Amino acid sequence: MDPRDLADVLDPVVQGKVDYAKGNRLFPGDAWNMIPHTRYLGNSSLSLLTKIASGYWHIADSQSGYTAASLAVLRRLDLDRIYRGYGMPNDMLIPA
């Protein structure tokens, strides 16, 4: 993720407009040229499977670690049980 995009993820949460925001690496038109194709396809496939499992059809890039959450969201999560590896963003969306 481009550090210049961080404010776009943080600002809606900080301003109280949303409780949870995620970055999206897959949407920009040049993403296919910037991300290795196998990674792009893998992230797209995992994001689709996450949409099916979670019902969060509006989240385009569930694999993105660029995530901001309000205190209300963090209080609802059992932070000690969240997967600490690559699947962490999905574990926050689909708690066991």
Side-chain angles (χ1 to χ4, degrees):
M1 296 293 297
D2 188 330
R4 294 174 293 187
D5 295 333
L6 186 57
D8 291 335
V9 175
L10 289 175
D11 287 349
V13 176
V14 171
Q15 295 167 359
K17 294 178 181 175
V18 300
D19 284 319
Y20 189 79
K22 291 189 75 56
N24 182 357
R25 303 160 296 172
L26 306 177
F27 184 70
D30 57 347
W32 178 254
N33 296 321
M34 295 178 65
I35 301 171
H37 294 163
T38 52
R39 173 172 262 170
Y40 184 97
L41 293 171
N43 285 335
S44 296
S45 298
L46 289 171
S47 289
L48 175 61
L49 292 172
T50 300
K51 289 178 185 194
I52 293 168
S54 70
Y56 293 124
W57 292 98
H58 60 286
I59 297 178
D61 183 7
S62 64
Q63 307 307 303
S64 173
Y66 248 33
T67 303
S70 69
L71 184 58
V73 168
L74 295 176
R75 285 185 173 147
R76 292 183 67 190
L77 295 172
D78 184 351
L79 298 175
D80 291 328
R81 294 193 64 204
I82 290 178
Y83 184 74
R84 299 198 190 288
Y86 184 75
M88 180 273 296
N90 284 340
D91 201 19
M92 290 179 67
L93 291 173
I94 309 170

